[in-house]
């Protein structure tokens, strides 16, 4: 224990020494790191400004402040500020001229070649003793050391502290001296590299200037060579066999080879000198001008002076015959946007007479042409004038020769033309007749036979069947699934491409002697001839379904479709083609109703269904026109108070022969044909009349009436606005209407339907979700849609007698109603037991045969005997 105590005492005595050694180690490590960083700066930086900027991080890493400045001897052997990291100190030091630097602390360090550490008080004392000049620096402590190259002092590096808590000590002085020892070497290295870079740049500039001058000389010589080649080519042009237009174009190309002549024109004077024509005119801004009278333009100025002109900077430069360029102010009246940046032109002179003008112009570059180009354009225009006159003489001779040949050949050509015209008319008539026949018997899109040709083929097949009873044929009526979706979604072009691909696939499924026709839209018909058995028909139908259900690649989309096929096997029972198509069409609709992607053979029961359906549609249209409908009202009661709050209007059709029909017997047809909208318009009008009649009744003046509507009102364009306008016209109390929609109204157009419901809600009517519990019964309808009433379907209510879970469900729906803002209405209450169960779980309202049977109501106020009293 005694030995261990002695050991601990020795360790305690050695601890300060170890801490001192650790501190020295860290100082040495910091100094080495700073030295390494300074060395890297000297090796990588190429200019002094970057060096001083990077030096800041070294100073900041080693010392307690990064505020420092460096003064160095300049070429006049005077101290000057080289760099200052502190902007405030830099502004103060900038006022010191070279002579005053000797009267600063930095001057004292330089003169004495020794470090100086000076506080603000000491600095003030030196200033009072007039050893230094006071320049207003607010620093509280100052430390400076000399910068030496060998034994010679070349400058000073000084630190300033502005924090009264931070003062420099001996360690800072040693560190700064350490930095100063290596800083001079680093400055010399960077200055040498900077000087080398400067010399390289100067040498490069000289070489570049020499190269540019050489390139200019080469360009001038090349231009001269090009000009001589062009003049030789121009001379050869006049003797070539090219027509005058090709001559001018080639001439333009030659001029453009040595001058910037993208815009070039040749103007020629008329014989009497009063008009200018432009046989060649190539310009990026102006169209080819017509022949015109002489005016006051640049072309006329060139004709008037008879000398080459250069229009530049709103001045006209004229080349005299002696080669002197005379300058005068541009005095012509020209709009600024039409005047080119540079215009160079020369008169075309032949035998001392001016025959026209050659001109080139530039709209972008005002330096496109130089004074030297005036002599060039005059020289070129002389050769061009001679070439034009030679070419014109050749053209005149050629025209005379052609005129003679034309007279000789005219009569022969007339006879040949007449004969040829007759033959062509006959051929064109034949082609037109063939084309008309093809267009009349084929589909324009798919090029398949159309309805007209199909009828001819069917008629022929029927007549052939009468002569050959054993011959059998069949008609396949094909309808495509999802064509309307493709057409509406991707556009008509994609729909057309889809039909063309369908036609190609169907063609691969039939034989050469069969007929594949397109009737229109997505309906195709195939006539299968010379059949051996019904199996042949089924094989073709199966092939078609397999071909159509393969994916389609259209405009980057992968699409799928199916085919529903109706098949009519033809025998002696048919008299014409329309009957066959009718039965195949009926079978096709049967196939669609069975689930699409299948084929169905026609039988007599389908004809009966088709006739019944057609009859129902016709009778329904008559019923709408003659208003054979009537409304029966079933009361909706408050199950707790057992009082009437309103009624549901139930549609009935008073059929002339079948009696009173319920919606289940005819409403599907109205929905399918779109007549549902006309019927519901009548219903809204009748209900509004009933509300008006009840307005004067104490019993029913506050009663609601519910109307079940089709989802078309929410999804068809403009139909919602029409519904709102209809209600506005017929009633001033839309809040007494309850519009009921079932889930099918939202199945395909959810967002559109939701938008429509909100618009109806804002209008003021009340909304109800009908038949809840019969379909998907999504909880989304309860909280996302603005329904005030949820009507539980009668099938769901009927199940309460045997299903206790559904009773709990009704209670849960009632509890949710308080949160989501709707109230429950039970439909189909047919017993007292059922009524009591609904009352127990909190269902507020209900209707059904147990409460009230639907009945007609007179539009007078005498309704007390027919209906119970409504609750206010």
């Amino acid at each position: 224990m005694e030995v261990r105590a002695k050991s601990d005492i020795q360790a305690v005595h050695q601890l300060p020494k170890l801490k001192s050694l650790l501190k020295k180690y860290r100082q040495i490590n910091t100094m080495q790191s700073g030295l390494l960083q300074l060395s890297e700066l000297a090796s990588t930086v190429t200019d002094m400004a970057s060096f001083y900027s990077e030096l800041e991080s070294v100073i900041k890493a080693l010392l307690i402040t990064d505020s420092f400045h460096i003064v160095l001897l300049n070429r006049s052997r005077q101290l000057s500020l080289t760099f200052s990291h502190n902007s405030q100190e830099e502004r103060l030091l900038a006022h010191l001229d070279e002579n005053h630097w000797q009267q600063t602390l930095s001057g004292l360090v330089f003169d004495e070649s020794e470090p100086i550490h000076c506080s603000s008080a000491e600095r003030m004392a030196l200033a009072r003793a007039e050893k230094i000049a006071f320049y207003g620096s607010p620093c509280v402590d100052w430390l400076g050391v000399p910068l030496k190259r060998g034994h010679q002092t070349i400058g000073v590096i000084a630190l300033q502290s502005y924090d009264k808590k931070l003062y420099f000590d001996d360690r800072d002085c040693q560190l700064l001296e350490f930095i100063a020892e290596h800083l001079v070497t680093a400055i010399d290295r960077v200055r040498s590299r900077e000087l080398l870079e400067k010399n390289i740049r100067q040498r490069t500039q000289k070489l570049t200037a020499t190269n540019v001058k050489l390139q200019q000389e080469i360009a001038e010589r090349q231009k001269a060579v090009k000009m001589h080649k062009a003049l030789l080519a121009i001379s050869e042009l006049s003797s070539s066999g090219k027509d005058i237009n090709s001559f001018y174009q080639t001439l333009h190309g030659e001029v453009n080879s040595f001058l910037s002549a993208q815009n070039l024109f040749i103007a020629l004077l008329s014989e009497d000198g009063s008009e200018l024509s432009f046989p060649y005119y190539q310009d990026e801004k102006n169209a080819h001008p017509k022949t015109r009278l002489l005016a006051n333009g640049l072309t006329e100025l060139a004709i008037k002076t008879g000398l080459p002109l250069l229009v530049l900077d709103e001045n006209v430069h004229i080349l005299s015959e002696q080669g002197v360029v005379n300058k005068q102010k541009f005095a012509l009246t020209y709009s600024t946007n039409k005047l080119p940046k540079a215009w160079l032109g020369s008169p075309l002179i032949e035998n001392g007479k001016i025959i026209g003008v050659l001109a080139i112009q530039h709209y972008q570059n005002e330096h496109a042409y130089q004074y030297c180009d005036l002599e060039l354009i005059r020289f070129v225009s002389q050769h061009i004038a001679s070439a034009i006159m030679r070419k014109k003489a050749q053209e005149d001779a050629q025209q005379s020769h052609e005129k003679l040949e034309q007279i000789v050949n005219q009569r022969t050509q007339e006879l040949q033309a007449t004969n040829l015209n007759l033959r062509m008319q006959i051929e064109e008539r034949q082609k037109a007749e063939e084309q008309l026949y093809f267009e009349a018997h084929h589909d324009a899109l798919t090029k398949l036979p159309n309805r007209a040709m199909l009828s001819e083929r069917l008629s022929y097949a029927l007549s052939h069947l009468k002569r050959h009873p054993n011959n059998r044929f069949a008609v396949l009526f094909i309808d495509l699934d999802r064509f309307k979706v493709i057409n509406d979604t991707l556009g008509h072009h994609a729909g057309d491409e889809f039909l063309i691909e369908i036609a190609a696939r169907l063609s691969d499924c039939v034989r050469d002697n069969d007929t594949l026709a397109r009737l229109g839209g997505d309906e195709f018909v195939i006539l299968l001839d010379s059949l051996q058995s019904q199996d042949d028909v089924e094989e073709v139908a199966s092939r078609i379904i397999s071909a159509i259900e393969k994916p389609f690649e259209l405009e980057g989309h992968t699409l799928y479709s199916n085919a529903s096929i109706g098949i009519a096997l033809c025998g002696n029972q048919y008299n014409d083609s329309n009957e066959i198509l009718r039965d195949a069409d009926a079978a096709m609709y049967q196939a669609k109703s069975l689930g699409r992607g299948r084929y169905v053979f026609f039988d007599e029961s389908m004809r009966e269904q088709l006739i019944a359906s057609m009859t129902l549609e016709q009778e329904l249209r008559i019923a709408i026109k003659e208003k054979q409908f009537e409304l029966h009202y079933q009361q909706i009661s408050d199950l707790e108070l057992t009082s009437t709050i309103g009624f549901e209007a139930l549609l009935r059709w008073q059929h002339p022969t079948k009696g009173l029909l319920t919606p289940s017997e005819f409403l599907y047809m109205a929905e399918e044909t779109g007549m549902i909208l006309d019927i519901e318009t009548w219903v809204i009008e009748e209900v509004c009349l009933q509300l008006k009649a009840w307005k004067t009744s104490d019993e029913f003046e506050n009663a609601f009436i519910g109307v079940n509507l089709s989802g078309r009102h929410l999804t068809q364009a403009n139909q919602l606005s029409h519904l709102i306008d209809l209600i506005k016209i017929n009633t001033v109390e839309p809040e007494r209407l309850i519009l009921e929609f079932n889930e099918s109204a939202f199945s395909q157009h959810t967002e559109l339907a939701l938008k429509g419901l909100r618009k109806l809600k804002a209008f003021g009517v009340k909304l109800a979700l009908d038949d809840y519990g019969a379909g998907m019964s999504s909880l989304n309808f309860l909280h996302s849609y603005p329904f005030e009433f949820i009507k539980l379907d009668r099938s769901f209510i009927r199940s309460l007698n045997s299903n206790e879970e559904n009773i709990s469900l009704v209670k849960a729906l009632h509890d949710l109603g308080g949160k989501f803002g709707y109230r429950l209405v039970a439909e189909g209450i047919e017993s007292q037991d059922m009524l009591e169960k609904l009352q127990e779980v909190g269902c507020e309202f209900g209707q059904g045969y147990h409460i009230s049977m639907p009945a007609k109501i007179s539009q007078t106020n005498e309704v007390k005997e027919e209906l119970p009293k409504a609750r206010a």
Side-chain angles (χ1 to χ4, degrees), residues 31 72 222 232 398 429 468 516 680 688 711 776 812 833 868:
M31 292 174 64
L72 297 174
Q222 289 176 341
L232 179 61
Q398 182 69 22
R429 185 180 182 87
H468 306 279
L516 168 62
E680 290 179 348
C688 290
M776 294 290 293
D833 181 52

Side-chain angles (χ1 to χ4, degrees), residues 120-391:
S120 59
E122 292 170 339
R123 186 156 50 96
M124 290 297 295
L126 289 172
R128 291 191 191 98
E130 297 183 351
K131 292 185 178 181
I132 63 171
F134 185 70
Y135 59 91
S137 174
C139 68
V140 299
D141 202 14
W142 192 93
L143 175 65
V145 300
L147 296 174
K148 296 181 179 181
R149 183 186 292 118
H151 297 290
Q152 180 185 4
T153 301
I154 65 168
V156 175
I157 179 171
L159 303 179
Q160 301 90 32
S161 173
Y162 298 90
D163 191 344
K164 293 182 178 180
K165 297 179 179 179
L166 295 177
Y167 289 89
F168 304 117
D169 54 17
D170 292 342
R171 172 187 171 278
D172 295 323
C173 185
Q174 292 173 2
L175 279 176
L176 193 58
E177 285 183 301
F178 173 77
I179 293 172
E181 289 176 9
H182 298 86
L183 182 59
V184 174
T185 304
I187 290 174
D188 290 343
R189 290 175 65 186
V190 175
R191 278 183 172 175
S192 299
R193 190 177 294 106
E194 187 178 43
L195 181 61
L196 178 61
E197 291 286 338
K198 183 178 179 181
N199 291 335
I200 291 173
R201 284 196 300 271
Q202 291 176 346
R203 184 66 182 272
T204 303
Q205 290 174 352
K206 289 181 180 179
L207 290 174
T208 302
T210 303
N211 184 50
V212 169
K213 186 176 180 181
L214 181 61
Q215 291 295 330
Q216 289 176 345
E217 292 178 0
I218 294 172
E220 289 176 0
R221 299 191 69 175
Q222 289 176 341
K223 186 175 181 180
V225 171
K226 286 182 180 179
M227 187 189 69
H228 288 301
K229 287 183 179 179
L231 291 176
L232 179 61
I234 290 170
S235 299
E236 293 175 350
L237 273 177
S238 58
S239 58
S240 67
K242 293 185 176 181
D243 61 78
I244 193 69
N245 291 326
S246 300
F247 167 74
Y248 285 132
Q249 288 177 357
T250 307
L251 189 148
H252 182 185
E254 295 296 341
V255 175
N256 197 34
S257 66
F258 58 87
L259 281 174
S260 181
Q262 289 83 3
N263 303 306
L264 178 146
F265 69 84
I266 295 174
L268 296 180
L269 274 171
S270 60
E271 291 294 333
D272 59 0
S274 63
E275 291 183 337
L276 274 177
S277 63
F278 298 86
Y280 185 79
Y281 195 96
Q282 186 69 36
D283 193 89
E284 63 187 75
K285 279 194 173 183
N286 302 313
H288 195 137
K290 298 179 180 178
T291 300
R292 61 173 175 81
L293 294 173
L294 288 179
N296 191 26
L298 292 171
T299 306
E300 286 83 348
L301 183 61
I303 294 173
K304 183 178 179 181
T305 59
L307 297 170
L309 305 177
L310 172 61
V311 180
L312 190 67
D313 296 329
E314 299 186 359
N315 292 303
V316 181
H317 307 271
I318 304 173
L319 180 67
S320 67
E321 293 181 356
Q322 292 76 27
V324 178
V325 178
N326 298 313
K327 176 181 176 183
Q328 65 185 44
K329 195 66 177 177
F330 183 76
L332 299 181
T333 304
Y334 256 81
S335 60
T336 307
N337 61 336
K338 289 188 177 180
L339 188 66
K341 292 286 186 180
W343 191 93
L344 181 65
S346 177
L348 299 173
I349 302 174
E350 179 67 13
N351 297 326
K353 179 183 178 182
I354 296 177
I355 64 171
V357 173
L358 168 68
I360 57 178
Q361 48 195 353
H362 208 289
Y363 290 100
Q364 291 82 30
N365 185 6
E366 60 184 10
H367 303 296
Y369 314 120
Q370 310 298 325
Y371 291 151
C372 60
D373 294 330
L374 283 166
E375 187 67 50
L376 184 60
I377 196 72
R378 175 161 64 186
F379 185 67
V380 171
S381 65
Q382 293 172 355
H383 288 77
I384 289 177
S386 299
I388 288 175
M389 294 306 294
R390 288 196 299 271
K391 192 65 182 177

Side-chain angles (χ1 to χ4, degrees), residues 56-120:
E56 297 169 8
S57 61
V58 177
I59 298 296
K60 188 173 182 180
L62 295 175
L63 299 163
I64 63 173
T65 178
D66 61 350
S67 176
F68 71 96
H69 70 258
I70 296 174
V71 293
L72 297 174
L73 284 176
N74 56 23
R75 293 181 180 179
S76 302
R77 304 298 297 173
Q78 296 291 331
L79 287 176
S80 62
L81 179 65
T82 303
F83 178 77
S84 175
H85 181 234
N86 185 287
S87 57
Q88 182 179 9
E89 194 77 18
E90 184 178 7
R91 285 195 300 270
L92 295 172
L93 294 173
H95 293 293
L96 296 175
D97 56 25
E98 294 179 354
N99 296 325
H100 286 115
W101 269 105
Q102 300 300 126
Q103 298 177 359
T104 64
L105 288 174
S106 298
L108 287 178
V109 174
F110 180 81
D111 291 340
E112 297 177 5
S113 293
E114 292 294 335
I116 292 179
H117 179 199
C118 186
S119 67
S120 59

Side-chain angles (χ1 to χ4, degrees), residues 645 694-695 697-704 736 870-872:
I645 65 163
W694 282 347
K695 188 61 180 173
S697 170
D698 294 336
E699 291 87 349
F700 306 112
E701 63 176 344
N702 295 314
F704 300 104
R736 293 180 65 190
R871 181 169 65 90

